[in-house]
Amino acid sequence: MGYPKFGGVGGKGGDVYVQAKPDISLKLISRSNPFKRFTAGVGSNSQPHRILGQPGSDVTVECPTGITIYTDQGHALGTLDAEGDKVLVARGGRGGCPENQFFGQKGQCHSITLDLKLIADVGLVGFPNAGKSTLLNALSKARPKIASYPFTTLCPEIGIIIYDDFRQISVADLPGLIEGAHVNIGLGYKFLKHVERTKTLLFVVDINGFQLSPMTKPRSVMETIVLLNKELELYREELVDKPAILAVNKMDTTDAEKLFPKLIQDLKNIKDVVKSWPSEYLPNKFIQFDDIIPIAAKTGQSVHTVQKRLRQLIDYYDDIKSEDTERDIANLDVLTRKHVDWKVV
């Protein structure tokens, strides 16, 4: 509150921030703050011996990186992509002053949702039991649960590929998709939202196809690829434009050597192959794979090739992105100089 007699200004209320910090999880935040309520300090009143009131203390909520902050109306307030990133979620009220008749104003009050989306270089995409966890195990030092039944992976696992020159690339093993994931069937959005922040997609498919259960229709390897393409597109169209590698797994099984050449031929002529398929199965845009690699994750066959190609692909697209950024900066500099010259004239 202000002090009208001397024109004193009351202290501003404190702000509430959310800041990214390493080695912290949403579970830890929930446990340490059971009431899930954060209140900043109240600004002090203006007094005869202190005309300018002391501002209230700010409150900072520490969160892991990869967080997107939403209001209860679904409006995104900001994202925390790197350590130290900070977002203002509630602004403190203005102190009492002549403009508000010396009565302090209330600060903002929001109910917010902290939505975690993993940040990884590579995201593994595939139907259940395609061998994603086995491949992650072979690529990195991660030890995800591996079994012969679908949905072994129920929550994301992160593995780190460490190269001979100590370069590191993070790989996220995400729960398997099923048909209808885009409308939240199965693990749905809990999986698909994590794909958004990966640089590269690594599709893992079983050369023998996929069948969720004896009650469901078996799918060929070609059908599996097209259906994965469709699910990603229905969730978010720009996902199909991400750099992608197709790893055709279980090449150590019977008839795999016969099935692989046919798959390559079908992918080359994909539009002709799917002409007779029901339209609801077909995406509007087919993913263009940067490479197709036959592997056997269980035995380690071609795993080193996958590691090598992932690095090459990430570096290639990072270089392109850097060149585009430099070109945009150069163009902006030229436009700015032209604009300045025009104003001077």
Side-chain angles (χ1 to χ4, degrees):
M1 185 172 179
Y3 201 89
K5 185 176 179 180
F6 299 106
V9 177
K12 173 187 172 297
D15 300 325
V16 179
Y17 295 90
V18 176
Q19 186 172 24
K21 183 184 176 184
D23 304 322
I24 195 167
S25 66
L26 292 179
K27 187 178 289 186
L28 180 61
I29 298 170
S30 182
R31 285 178 180 173
S32 57
N33 301 278
F35 296 105
K36 300 178 183 177
R37 187 181 181 89
F38 301 90
T39 307
V42 177
S44 63
N45 294 331
S46 174
Q47 301 176 23
H49 62 278
R50 184 190 287 271
I51 295 299
L52 298 178
Q54 191 77 9
S57 57
D58 295 337
V59 168
T60 300
V61 183
E62 295 175 335
C63 292
T65 55
I67 289 288
T68 301
I69 304 153
Y70 294 96
T71 65
D72 45 2
Q73 288 84 30
H75 174 66
L77 295 175
T79 58
L80 306 176
D81 290 332
E83 181 184 342
D85 285 356
K86 197 172 186 179
V87 174
L88 174 66
V89 295
R91 192 183 301 277
R94 188 179 183 186
C97 60
E99 285 77 16
N100 56 26
Q101 288 76 51
F102 296 97
F103 289 100
Q105 297 172 324
K106 288 186 177 181
Q108 294 177 331
C109 180
H110 292 306
S111 293
I112 61 171
T113 299
L114 303 178
D115 185 29
L116 177 63
K117 296 178 183 177
L118 291 177
I119 301 175
D121 297 310
V122 181
L124 297 181
V125 178
F127 281 126
N129 214 29
K132 299 186 302 298
S133 297
T134 305
L135 179 57
L136 181 67
N137 190 5
L139 288 171
S140 68
K141 295 184 181 299
R143 294 295 176 265
K145 183 179 179 182
I146 299 171
S148 59
Y149 52 83
F151 296 116
T152 310
T153 303
L154 296 177
C155 60
E157 297 271 357
I158 295 288
I160 304 295
I161 303 174
I162 302 176
Y163 295 88
D164 293 338
D165 60 354
F166 303 107
R167 166 76 182 279
Q168 296 185 3
I169 288 177
S170 56
V171 182
D173 174 22
L174 306 165
L177 279 173
I178 61 172
E179 293 174 47
H182 68 281
V183 290
N184 223 13
I185 295 176
L187 296 175
Y189 288 111
K190 289 185 179 180
F191 159 75
L192 285 170
K193 69 177 184 179
H194 295 297
V195 178
E196 296 178 49
R197 294 195 177 185
T198 56
K199 294 181 180 179
T200 302
L201 300 180
L202 177 56
F203 285 74
V204 183
V205 296
D206 186 337
I207 186 63
N208 301 297
F210 168 71
Q211 185 176 18
L212 182 61
S213 73
M215 304 297 292
T216 59
K217 182 181 178 181
R219 301 293 187 186
S220 69
V221 62
M222 187 65 184
E223 289 175 319
T224 300
I225 294 168
V226 174
L227 288 170
L228 287 172
N229 190 156
K230 180 71 171 180
E231 288 299 329
L232 291 181
E233 183 185 78
L234 288 172
Y235 177 71
R236 185 151 293 180
E237 289 184 6
E238 54 265 34
L239 291 180
V240 300
D241 294 322
K242 281 183 176 285
I245 292 176
L246 175 63
V248 184
N249 195 21
K250 304 187 182 181
M251 289 299 296
D252 54 340
T253 56
T254 308
D255 295 330
E257 294 297 334
K258 296 178 181 177
L259 293 171
F260 184 72
K262 183 180 184 304
L263 172 63
I264 296 298
Q265 193 62 35
D266 287 347
L267 286 171
K268 287 180 179 178
N269 304 291
I270 189 167
K271 292 184 178 180
D272 293 330
V273 171
V274 301
K275 269 183 181 179
S276 59
W277 292 18
S279 58
E280 61 267 23
Y281 293 158
L282 304 181
N284 294 321
K285 184 177 182 180
F286 291 102
I287 293 174
Q288 299 297 313
F289 293 108
D290 292 270
D291 205 347
I292 301 172
I293 307 172
I295 67 168
K298 191 173 182 180
T299 63
Q301 176 188 330
S302 299
V303 168
H304 180 71
T305 303
V306 175
Q307 291 176 328
K308 181 180 176 182
R309 288 295 291 130
L310 284 173
R311 177 172 181 170
Q312 290 173 344
L313 195 62
I314 290 171
D315 289 347
Y316 172 74
Y317 282 100
D318 280 349
D319 288 343
I320 290 176
K321 194 173 182 180
S322 297
E323 289 173 6
D324 289 343
T325 302
E326 290 174 3
R327 193 179 301 112
D328 290 342
I329 292 171
N331 290 339
L332 180 62
D333 183 51
V334 170
L335 289 171
T336 303
R337 283 189 275 111
K338 283 182 178 179
H339 184 59
V340 171
D341 292 342
W342 177 79
K343 285 187 72 176
V344 171
V345 171

